[in-house]
Amino acid sequence: MLRFLLLAISFSWFSLAAAATPSDADFAAIKEKITKAMPGFSVDTMRPSPVPGWYEVEDGLQIVYVSADGKHLLAGDLYDVATRTNLTAAWREKTAIRLIDAIGEKNMIVMGPKQPKRTITVFTDVDCAYCRKLHLDVPELNKHGVKVRYLAFPRSGPNTESYYKAVSVWCSADRVKAVGIAKAGGEIERKTCANPVDKEYELGRHLGISGTPAIFFDDGRQLGGYAPVPQLLAMLGLAPAPAASKNGS
């Protein structure tokens, strides 16, 4: 079934590419057409796609494919039939890591070994129940060689109680201690200072995050939600996959 799907995708793309006008496309004109047709879509970059006569257009972790004349648009994943590789997913993962790493660890709350085996970056909200549950797992993850990096993502948005807590955590003398207290429901001193909370929140929105914890592995894969330590370690290649229970639950 998968083979049929990949071939179908390939032939569809081939016929569309053959019908497209090849080359000297006016990027500005295409961008204008896309913006008018899709008001919520922000054209970050545009470049030739692997399919002749078509362009890849980026908006955060979204990507669409546009014909050279700007008349046709396809939204969906593009596969390489020979290798059965999801080219769009590979691009999405690479882009996520690039944007996250651009923030810099100096703007993150980092917990774990200096020379980790693997690293996860977590968009977190101090008032999120599953973020609190994940935080309790951090020492165990660290023990297995996993570095955990927090980026602030107060789900309620700027200028809300969760937002002010995130700022106060960042402005604390001991951020790791402060985030632990805040996630445990404790009181931390309300503070303000130069901080990366707004920038991290906007990055999260740009990446399409709507809930927390949003976990990104160091290879770009995303896990949208909490997973227990054994499952996380297995996904990181640091432990065998947990055995399924006999009753299937």
Side-chain angles (χ1 to χ4, degrees):
M1 183 66 181
L2 175 59
R3 186 174 183 179
F4 175 79
L5 176 60
L6 293 174
L7 289 171
I9 292 171
S10 174
F11 290 136
S12 296
W13 274 101
F14 178 79
S15 61
L16 286 168
T21 303
S23 234
D24 292 342
D26 185 339
F27 275 20
I30 294 177
K31 180 176 179 178
E32 183 179 0
K33 287 183 180 181
I34 294 172
T35 303
K36 286 183 178 178
M38 303 169 64
F41 194 93
S42 174
V43 179
D44 291 343
T45 62
M46 183 160 37
R47 61 179 174 272
S49 82
V51 181
W54 286 73
Y55 294 100
E56 294 179 340
V57 181
E58 296 180 17
D59 175 15
L61 288 188
Q62 295 184 68
I63 189 168
V64 297
Y65 301 92
V66 184
S67 60
D69 58 7
K71 293 181 179 179
H72 300 90
L73 180 148
L74 286 175
D77 287 3
L78 175 65
Y79 288 79
D80 182 301
V81 177
T83 62
R84 297 193 177 191
T85 302
N86 185 328
L87 300 177
T88 306
W91 164 84
R92 194 180 294 123
E93 292 167 356
K94 183 178 180 181
T95 299
I97 285 301
R98 174 176 58 80
L99 294 175
I100 288 170
D101 285 346
I103 291 287
E105 286 197 354
K106 66 181 182 298
N107 292 313
M108 304 177 185
I109 296 176
V110 182
M111 297 158 286
K114 292 183 179 179
Q115 295 183 328
K117 296 177 181 177
R118 297 296 302 270
T119 297
I120 62 173
T121 305
V122 184
F123 284 85
T124 190
D125 180 340
V126 296
D127 290 326
C128 153
Y130 278 101
C131 294
R132 292 173 174 176
K133 190 173 178 64
L134 177 62
H135 189 71
L136 295 177
D137 293 340
V138 170
E140 185 69 12
L141 290 168
N142 291 164
K143 188 170 73 174
H144 284 83
V146 180
K147 178 164 65 175
V148 180
R149 312 189 302 187
Y150 279 164
L151 294 176
F153 191 80
R155 295 168 300 167
S156 51
N159 303 315
T160 62
E161 189 59 29
S162 291
Y163 171 88
Y164 294 131
K165 288 179 184 178
V167 171
S168 297
V169 163
W170 182 261
C171 296
S172 298
D174 187 334
R175 293 167 185 155
V176 172
K177 181 179 179 180
V179 76
I181 292 172
K183 285 179 179 287
E187 293 292 328
I188 58 173
E189 183 182 352
R190 179 68 65 88
K191 294 183 177 181
T192 187
C193 65
N195 66 83
V197 174
D198 285 298
K199 184 176 181 179
E200 292 171 3
Y201 176 73
E202 287 305 316
L203 173 61
R205 285 172 52 86
H206 191 63
L207 295 178
I209 292 170
S210 58
T212 52
I215 303 170
F216 285 85
F217 298 154
D218 48 18
D219 58 9
R221 288 177 296 153
Q222 182 183 0
L223 175 63
Y226 172 81
V229 171
Q231 184 179 339
L232 268 179
L233 292 177
M235 294 178 74
L236 290 166
L238 298 178
S245 62
K246 293 181 179 180
N247 61 12
S249 61

